[in-house]
Amino acid sequence: MSVGAAGDLGDLGDLARCSLNTATVKRATLREAVDVAARAGLGAVGLWRDRVEEAGTARAAKLVADAGLCVSSLCRGGFLTAAHDDGVAAALDDNRRAIAQAAEVGAPELVFVVGGLPAAGGPEAPVRGDAGPGDRDLVAARARVADRLADLAPFAAEHGVRIALEPLHPLFAADRAVLSTLGQALDLAAPFAPQVVGVVVDTYHVWWDPALEASIARAGAERRLASYQVCDWCLPLAPVALNSRGHLGDGYVDFAAVTRWVARAGYTGAVETEIFNEAVWAADPAVTVATLADRYARLVRPHL
Amino acid sequence: MSVGAAGDLGDLGDLARCSLNTATVKRATLREAVDVAARAGLGAVGLWRDRVEEAGTARAAKLVADAGLCVSSLCRGGFLTAAHDDGVAAALDDNRRAIAQAAEVGAPELVFVVGGLPAAGGPEAPVRGDAGPGDRDLVAARARVADRLADLAPFAAEHGVRIALEPLHPLFAADRAVLSTLGQALDLAAPFAPQVVGVVVDTYHVWWDPALEASIARAGAERRLASYQVCDWCLPLAPVALNSRGHLGDGYVDFAAVTRWVARAGYTGAVETEIFNEAVWAADPAVTVATLADRYARLVRPHL
């Protein structure tokens, strides 16, 4: 990287579209994250609900606005694959809360991670392989996601919040998201107005997809391209696979190509760096933000 | 599992289509693998080139035939993504040898794993994240695979061997196979006659694909369904991700659904169990084969 001392950005030029997802500086409070983003000259932050709830929604909104930043997205709703009534009701309740929070905090987009097979027991539960046959029915789990979207879309529309469906890497199809490709996300979104249900392009999750260029173009044509999140695909995988995401340039993603496709699709929004990585979490947030701003300026912005 | 003592299969019925891929009993010699498969009543074995070369091709063919078994496939050729002349020439040489071996050993199908990004340095090399920009060009790497297929297809046709393109899970897109979906495999195969280039359905690699049912049907309609390999997707991933494959029923794959789709596509060939897993490799090969035969009889055969 070309940055010097912690937080010394030199002249990286216009960072108005560069957004810090707060999960990238997981151990910072919301105030610390907002401060470090603003000092680095970034234009936006992507918020996680845990940090928003800690601060209180109204105070979180004020913190961000007072720092001169926009909210590029709120992470996250979803986890819609429950097969039984109790789980369905709990998911709907939680997502209505998330939609209301997004509206209150001024997040135009609420990112949805749709959930894995019921056998996998949700995002934080240990996975297990002794599921019953029904728990392995991927087709049915995907159909339930469509049903829950139909339940939630009117509520989102009333609140002026767009549900942004995030396809996750197929690595996570069992335990985290049965939504695995951008094309599938667009198919799921199709019954709804584009201002109500959009899609996320997260490079970590979709970089490998042979249909990616075509699906991004389709997302643009259908006016559903709601968020562009970036980080790199690094190997070997971390012991917790989800935490293998790295700074741009540290892995295998062709950011020039994907960014050109996103720009060509008419996307004019923020580019949110969202990294889950123990080493990044252990770093000084100012150094992390300096690095991500530098990588954005070199690897993304020239292609926007 | 419902088997009793090592190798005690009880009455599992017709195992004629059940095939043992020799990688599942990695530490057995070819003779040991063939013996254990034959004693269990299996109809076929899928061979790896290392075991064939150890035994000698002619002797390997005789070993299998004398045991009353068929060869369901030879693993593997491929690794076609080299960008420079030397690498291209080496890949073509090695694949011509593999095609000749497949013909000599009586394998109707030669499985191709197409290779990863050049930055990843091939299947056995450590991966690295400091690749130059060209090394990350996935679109170009995929185009080189198509070019190498065009180089090799006439040679395969002359030898009466079908190249069976195996899409690998997107988890391996960087370091092992830029061929990531069955649909992409069918697109790659399209310029060639179906008896020259076919496709492999390996449940571990494709179970997550929202287009799987449609792509399997397409493979059938295009007469390209060359091999059906089975094993389960288990979590958490093993320290070496490739070795996370498990016995059927130990993970998340819906074998009933995928097997029905394969049968409906007109597939009448062998069902090859191919497991990479340190615990399975450490087990007595007779126990491993008893388990895989039991799982085949319960989870696959009823749906064929």
Side-chain angles (χ1 to χ4, degrees), chain B residues 85-161:
Chain B
D85 288 351
D86 286 0
V88 170
L92 292 176
D93 279 357
D94 184 61
N95 279 293
R96 290 194 190 100
R97 270 197 305 278
I99 289 165
Q101 280 174 341
E104 285 160 29
V105 82
E109 321 282 353
L110 175 64
V111 174
F112 262 42
V113 170
V114 305
L117 290 170
E124 306 313 329
V127 294
R128 58 187 177 85
D130 58 346
D135 290 329
R136 293 184 174 89
D137 189 341
L138 190 54
V139 174
R142 285 169 168 161
R144 290 195 297 276
V145 172
D147 291 345
R148 294 298 83 73
L149 272 182
D151 294 337
L152 290 166
F155 189 84
E158 282 165 28
H159 285 74
V161 169

Side-chain angles (χ1 to χ4, degrees), chain A residues 119 127-129 136-138 142 169-171 173-175 180 184 207-210 233 235 237 249-254, chain B residues 119 127-129 136-138 142 169-171 173-175 180 184 207-210 233 235 237 249-254:
Chain A
V127 294
R128 59 188 178 83
R136 293 185 174 88
D137 189 340
L138 190 55
R142 287 170 166 161
H169 194 287
L171 169 56
D175 61 341
S180 307
Q184 184 194 357
W207 73 276
W208 59 270
D209 185 353
W233 172 266
L235 293 176
L237 293 179
D250 288 353
Y252 293 97
V253 174
D254 185 347
Chain B
V127 294
R128 58 187 177 85
R136 293 184 174 89
D137 189 341
L138 190 54
R142 285 169 168 161
H169 194 288
L171 169 56
D175 60 341
S180 307
Q184 185 193 358
W207 73 277
W208 59 271
D209 185 353
W233 172 266
L235 291 176
L237 294 179
D250 288 353
Y252 294 96
V253 174
D254 185 348

Side-chain angles (χ1 to χ4, degrees), chain A residues 21-36:
Chain A
N21 183 291
T22 60
T24 306
V25 290
K26 186 182 178 173
R27 289 176 193 145
T29 63
L30 181 61
R31 173 179 290 280
E32 289 165 348
V34 163
D35 283 352
V36 78

Side-chain angles (χ1 to χ4, degrees), chain B residues 135-294:
Chain B
D135 290 329
R136 293 184 174 89
D137 189 341
L138 190 54
V139 174
R142 285 169 168 161
R144 290 195 297 276
V145 172
D147 291 345
R148 294 298 83 73
L149 272 182
D151 294 337
L152 290 166
F155 189 84
E158 282 165 28
H159 285 74
V161 169
R162 174 147 76 164
I163 293 170
L165 296 172
E166 180 164 2
L168 258 56
H169 194 288
L171 169 56
F172 306 110
D175 60 341
R176 202 163 291 262
V178 295
L179 175 52
S180 307
T181 67
L182 189 57
Q184 185 193 358
L186 289 165
D187 290 345
L188 262 178
F192 311 101
Q195 66 273 25
V196 177
V197 181
V199 296
V200 179
V201 171
D202 181 315
T203 52
Y204 186 80
H205 293 305
V206 301
W207 73 277
W208 59 271
D209 185 353
L212 187 58
E213 182 177 6
S215 292
I216 290 174
R218 178 184 161 198
E222 297 180 357
R223 291 173 297 133
R224 295 194 193 272
L225 200 38
S227 173
Y228 181 36
Q229 293 184 329
V230 291
C231 76
D232 216 333
W233 172 266
C234 297
L235 291 176
L237 294 179
V240 174
L242 199 68
N243 300 343
S244 311
R245 300 167 67 109
H247 277 295
L248 283 62
D250 288 353
Y252 294 96
V253 174
D254 185 348
F255 288 100
V258 181
T259 302
R260 277 196 301 268
W261 298 337
V262 166
R264 208 176 290 154
Y267 183 72
T268 57
V271 180
E272 224 178 83
T273 298
E274 186 189 44
I275 300 176
F276 309 152
N277 180 308
E278 291 290 348
V280 171
W281 288 334
D284 176 346
V287 173
T288 296
V289 171
T291 303
L292 78 82
D294 171 64

